[in-house]
Amino acid sequence: MMNSRIIEIVVGMFVAIGLGAFFFLAMYVSSSSAGSSSGYTVSARFENIGSLKTRSPVTMSGVLVGRVDTVSYDMERYEAVVTMTIQEDFNAIPTDTTASVYTAGLLGEQYVALEPGGEEEYLKEGDEISLTQSALVLEKVIGQVLFSKAEEGAEDNTDADEGF
Amino acid sequence: MTGESTDDIVVKIRNLTFSRGNRKIFDGVDIDIQRGKVTAIMGPSGTGKTTLLKIIGGQLKPEMGEILVDGHNVHKIKQKDLYELRKRMGMLFQSGALLTDLNVFDNVAFPLREHTPLSESMIRSLVLLKLEAVGLRAARDLMPSELSGGMARRVAMARAITLDPMMIMYDEPFTGQDPISMGVLVQLIRKLSDALGLTSIVVSHDVAETCEIADYLYIIADGKVIQHGSPDYLYKEGNPWVEQFLRGLPDGPVRFHFPGVGYEEDLFAGALDPTDIDK
Amino acid sequence: MWVLDKLQAIGKSSLGIFERFGRATIFLFHVLSGIGSLITRPQLLVCQLFFVGVLSLLIILISGLFVGMVLALQGYYILSHFGAEQTLGVMVAASLVRELGPVVSALLFSGRAGSALTAEIGLMRATEQLSGIEMMAVNPIHRIIAPRFWAGVISMPLLASLFSSLGVLGGYFVGVLLLGVDDGAFWSQMQSKLDFYDDVLNGVIKSIIFGFAVTWIAIFEGYDAIPTSEGVSRATTRTVVYSAFAILGLDFVLTALMFGN
């Protein structure tokens, strides 16, 4: 039967381009930071993480190397605990690496930036990064600036406050 | 009246009761269908003749009573057994019920493809054989929409006999046919029944045609079997109601007028209604 | 008395809704139990994929393209106020993949394929074809309804993926080629901001659920239709209306569940 053959071919094409569209969405439109499945997790403690959230990027020199897995709070040491998954390929990060919480742009989202140290040993599954630098909280910074200005006694600080 | 052994009875209906809404369609109906005979079930429109066939086929469930088809209680056996039983029952629907997306050949081949592992060439020979029996071998490539009503019924007949059933149920096979195709259908039902040894149940209200081919008649009205017997017997011995039905008299025990209040009473009732005058 | 009458009417109709829903659920179980016969005869499914899926392609592709183009135009207009044209790709792709792709393609699908399914099944019932099949010892729910149901469930995510993809391409066309957004920024921003699991996969899951709901409504309305021409036409209308309710209602619930936190 010729007719059913044509139908089968057309349906085959339909399924193929449908799946093709799905792969297009998967490969070109989105990225699956394959971190969660293949990689190793390390943790870090911060005094303040700002607005860091699950799935925030982890970068080294601006290159995405992993994602934040969980954000929790340690009630004993009063610190935020961030666990992150680093992709397998980046398996030579020294143990004395510094983790800092930065903001992308002035008002952008926050991310963890890793700056490698000089140790010979590398981070592995379950390690903790001990050198950390907390997020810069804008209000605090502004407050500090205003405070120092006020100390100088040069200007009226209410003006500056509103001007910001 | 029927003194034969139960083996000769293909369909045995006992005390069938069925209602639709508040209306009782069947009220304690007993019917025996004998093997290899053409049995006609007749009655005025709206007496639930189609419903009866659907009950026999197990598509509807009666409230009371039992229906034995070849010794199996249609409404008690398992779904799987019911489907097995249906393979041995053909049914011809009033509209033919051909599958509109398949052509004539594929329609007739449908039961074979569903139920048998036969090769395409075997199916082809069988289908052509059945189509030849109803005289439509040459029409095998037509679509159901291209067939006349009578032809559609003949295709449906060919389809109903593809699995070589033991019985066929015909639902109003003659309704709305011109005299020629009516004659063809009458001939076919008789021929198929004789040649294949089929048990046939014909549901109809076309008296002349049905009496021509039926071996046995059941007349149903108001949910009851009024009378049954051979056509000759009923023509001779029929009670006044059967007489009126068989001869098609406009007035008799069945009134011409739908039962209600009297004509005059009805006319005056409207005019004298005080609320009407107010408006 | 008037209040009581109204209350009774409300009670009666809500009981009717429950009763119908119950019947639809039982019907669904019958349909689902017919999967065995489909595995042995996949050509039934292939045939229905053609009628349900392939024939819906054109409207889905064209609509997807235009929705993407309109999104890009509108998005550019707003984003350019903030100097954030670079994120146009993100906006277009995120709205398509998460919401518009599944929702709009399901709405179109219910209008194109759902109504056709209802009318077809309703007419098959009205012309006694389903009874005829049943009397030929073939279960009509397994033979006729189940292939159509699965064809709908399978087609929907494929169609939604195509809709979103074409939409992204339409957005690219308008954003990059016509409005001059940077090509690299368009794609890279999109890729880095959209997550495969959170966005794409959730969108696909949505569309599978919509496909399930729409096809279920369509086949049940057809099967349950009063077997007259008026009954079938009403059932067809109901399919489109109920499908729209189901899609939008489910979308709210699913969005809350998936993207809630």
Side-chain angles (χ1 to χ4, degrees):
Chain A
M1 277 163 92
M2 197 57 205
N3 201 16
S4 74
R5 190 177 148 74
I6 292 171
I7 285 182
E8 277 163 20
I9 291 170
V10 174
V11 169
M13 278 161 54
F14 165 61
V15 174
I17 64 162
L19 289 177
F22 177 68
F23 279 112
F24 169 75
L25 293 179
M27 306 312 290
Y28 291 93
V29 175
S30 68
S31 54
S32 70
S33 55
S36 50
S37 53
S38 61
Y40 59 99
T41 44
V42 294
S43 59
R45 291 166 178 277
F46 296 92
E47 253 172 51
N48 193 325
I49 56 164
S51 63
L52 198 70
K53 281 192 285 291
T54 310
R55 303 210 53 77
S56 291
V58 177
T59 62
M60 283 177 81
S61 309
V63 177
L64 186 80
V65 296
R67 297 260 180 200
V68 170
D69 268 345
T70 57
V71 173
S72 56
Y73 191 67
D74 183 346
M75 282 303 284
E76 279 167 18
R77 291 169 60 178
Y78 302 115
E79 280 172 337
V81 182
V82 173
T83 60
M84 48 203 131
T85 304
I86 311 291
Q87 289 171 35
E88 272 179 323
D89 312 351
F90 308 96
N91 56 359
I93 303 172
T95 46
D96 61 343
T97 293
T98 312
S100 327
V101 178
Y102 286 152
T103 309
L106 188 61
L107 299 164
E109 62 172 337
Q110 284 181 304
Y111 64 97
V112 177
L114 302 179
E115 282 153 49
E119 275 290 339
E120 291 290 307
E121 272 182 64
Y122 301 132
L123 284 172
K124 51 187 193 299
E125 171 72 33
D127 279 357
E128 187 180 318
I129 299 173
S130 45
L131 299 170
T132 62
Q133 193 185 329
S134 286
L136 226 58
V137 179
L138 208 58
E139 296 90 319
K140 256 190 191 173
V141 178
I142 295 165
Q144 274 167 6
V145 170
L146 294 177
F147 197 62
S148 59
K149 292 272 182 193
E151 270 186 343
E152 283 172 27
E155 282 145 4
D156 183 4
N157 53 8
T158 48
D159 256 17
D161 200 0
E162 264 164 10
F164 212 86
Chain B
M1 194 179 269
T2 45
E4 292 87 351
S5 65
T6 44
D7 210 20
D8 272 344
I9 295 170
V10 181
V11 181
K12 190 172 186 177
I13 298 174
R14 286 291 173 271
N15 191 28
L16 169 66
T17 304
F18 184 87
S19 28
R20 194 156 264 167
N22 291 325
R23 206 162 72 87
K24 265 215 158 108
I25 293 184
F26 297 117
D27 187 7
V29 167
D30 296 340
I31 291 177
D32 289 318
I33 310 285
Q34 291 175 49
R35 198 178 292 279
K37 297 263 174 69
V38 178
T39 306
I41 295 166
M42 306 184 74
S45 314
T47 42
K49 301 184 294 292
T50 307
T51 310
L52 180 66
L53 293 187
K54 287 196 168 168
I55 291 173
I56 297 175
Q59 292 191 312
L60 293 175
K61 224 181 163 72
E63 273 149 41
M64 271 202 310
E66 53 176 21
I67 287 92
L68 297 174
V69 176
D70 208 27
H72 305 281
N73 187 327
V74 174
H75 301 96
K76 291 268 163 60
I77 56 178
K78 284 193 225 110
Q79 174 100 346
K80 211 176 135 226
D81 298 331
L82 177 60
Y83 274 94
E84 278 307 309
L85 191 59
R86 279 183 186 154
K87 286 186 196 170
R88 300 197 286 143
M89 303 191 224
M91 177 144 172
L92 191 79
F93 285 85
Q94 200 168 346
S95 56
L98 296 177
L99 300 173
T100 40
D101 53 342
L102 300 178
N103 66 17
V104 167
F105 183 93
D106 290 332
N107 257 294
V108 179
F110 183 86
L112 291 171
R113 291 197 176 128
E114 291 292 324
H115 294 306
T116 65
L118 296 178
S119 67
E120 261 319 293
S121 65
M122 274 286 263
I123 287 179
R124 194 184 127 87
S125 342
L126 273 172
V127 169
L128 292 186
L129 185 76
K130 305 293 177 189
L131 279 174
E132 177 69 22
V134 297
L136 289 176
R137 189 168 42 78
R140 60 176 176 267
D141 291 327
L142 295 181
M143 293 306 283
S145 54
E146 298 168 296
L147 300 174
S148 71
M151 279 156 83
R153 271 177 222 187
R154 278 149 72 191
V155 174
M157 259 162 137
R159 187 176 68 175
I161 57 171
T162 38
L163 289 177
D164 293 319
M166 59 174 181
M167 61 182 263
I168 297 196
M169 299 184 271
Y170 298 94
D171 184 8
E172 307 273 8
F174 311 121
T175 318
Q177 299 298 309
D178 64 75
I180 299 175
S181 55
M182 189 120 87
V184 171
L185 287 168
V186 170
Q187 280 299 311
L188 264 178
I189 293 175
R190 189 71 243 183
K191 243 173 61 190
L192 287 179
S193 174
D194 293 343
L196 305 173
L198 281 173
T199 306
S200 307
I201 305 175
V202 182
V203 150
S204 178
H205 49 233
D206 295 281
V207 175
E209 289 74 21
T210 311
C211 289
E212 199 178 312
I213 52 166
D215 298 312
Y216 206 81
L217 284 181
Y218 275 89
I219 302 204
I220 297 184
D222 300 327
K224 289 194 162 44
V225 174
I226 302 269
Q227 249 189 335
H228 57 117
S230 67
D232 291 342
Y233 171 81
L234 288 186
Y235 266 111
K236 266 185 272 162
E237 309 283 328
N239 64 27
W241 194 97
V242 173
E243 172 99 9
Q244 188 196 354
F245 181 77
L246 290 181
R247 301 194 190 283
L249 307 172
D251 219 349
V254 179
R255 310 309 304 190
F256 170 71
H257 293 289
F258 192 82
V261 293
Y263 184 44
E264 284 166 29
E265 208 180 314
D266 226 3
L267 276 180
F268 287 116
L272 294 177
D273 191 354
T275 52
D276 268 4
I277 296 167
D278 274 357
K279 286 168 194 165
Chain C
M1 275 329 278
W2 183 84
V3 177
L4 280 181
D5 284 350
K6 288 291 162 203
L7 276 177
Q8 190 203 355
I10 293 170
K12 195 178 169 190
S13 59
S14 39
L15 281 178
I17 290 168
F18 276 118
E19 191 254 331
R20 244 180 106 126
F21 189 73
R23 265 188 298 138
T25 309
I26 293 168
F27 175 71
L28 180 67
F29 279 115
H30 283 299
V31 172
L32 294 179
S33 73
I35 192 157
S37 56
L38 270 189
I39 292 166
T40 50
R41 292 182 62 189
Q43 67 268 33
L44 289 179
L45 182 63
V46 169
C47 191
Q48 288 312 315
L49 273 173
F50 178 80
F51 288 110
V52 171
V54 175
L55 294 185
S56 311
L57 259 184
L58 191 68
I59 186 170
I60 293 282
L61 294 182
I62 292 176
S63 312
L65 192 67
F66 277 98
V67 167
M69 281 161 49
V70 168
L71 270 180
L73 271 179
Q74 294 280 14
Y76 183 83
Y77 175 72
I78 293 168
L79 290 173
S80 63
H81 282 301
F82 307 105
E85 297 96 331
Q86 312 290 317
T87 56
L88 184 67
V90 183
M91 201 214 83
V92 171
S95 19
L96 276 169
V97 167
R98 298 170 94 164
E99 286 296 331
L100 291 175
V103 171
V104 177
S105 57
L107 289 173
L108 292 170
F109 180 79
S110 79
R112 173 65 187 79
S115 58
L117 278 179
T118 305
E120 188 190 14
I121 294 172
L123 280 175
M124 285 182 93
R125 201 179 154 80
T127 53
E128 293 183 310
Q129 291 183 53
L130 293 184
S131 287
I133 288 172
E134 198 177 354
M135 282 311 294
M136 284 187 279
V138 176
N139 189 327
I141 294 186
H142 293 177
R143 174 66 174 71
I144 301 292
I145 314 266
R148 285 164 171 76
F149 175 73
W150 288 110
V153 175
I154 293 171
S155 296
M156 195 63 255
L158 295 174
L159 291 171
S161 297
L162 280 165
F163 185 96
S164 299
S165 303
L166 260 279
V168 169
L169 292 179
Y172 173 79
F173 175 73
V174 168
V176 176
L177 301 183
L178 296 185
L179 297 174
V181 173
D182 182 61
D183 189 5
F186 184 88
W187 291 110
S188 64
Q189 289 264 4
M190 189 157 79
Q191 252 192 44
S192 67
K193 287 292 185 307
L194 259 68
D195 183 71
F196 173 69
Y197 295 99
D198 280 354
D199 298 318
V200 176
L201 215 57
N202 274 344
V204 170
I205 290 169
K206 265 188 182 179
S207 66
I208 292 174
I209 293 171
F210 293 162
F212 193 95
V214 169
T215 328
W216 179 21
I217 291 171
I219 55 176
F220 177 70
E221 286 296 347
Y223 193 76
D224 200 47
I226 300 161
T228 60
S229 36
E230 197 205 1
V232 173
S233 87
R234 277 168 183 242
T236 311
T237 313
R238 274 203 304 270
T239 293
V240 177
V241 174
Y242 290 172
S243 293
F245 285 153
I247 291 164
L248 298 172
L250 278 172
D251 185 50
F252 174 74
V253 175
L254 289 174
T255 306
L257 285 178
M258 287 170 172
F259 309 112
N261 46 5

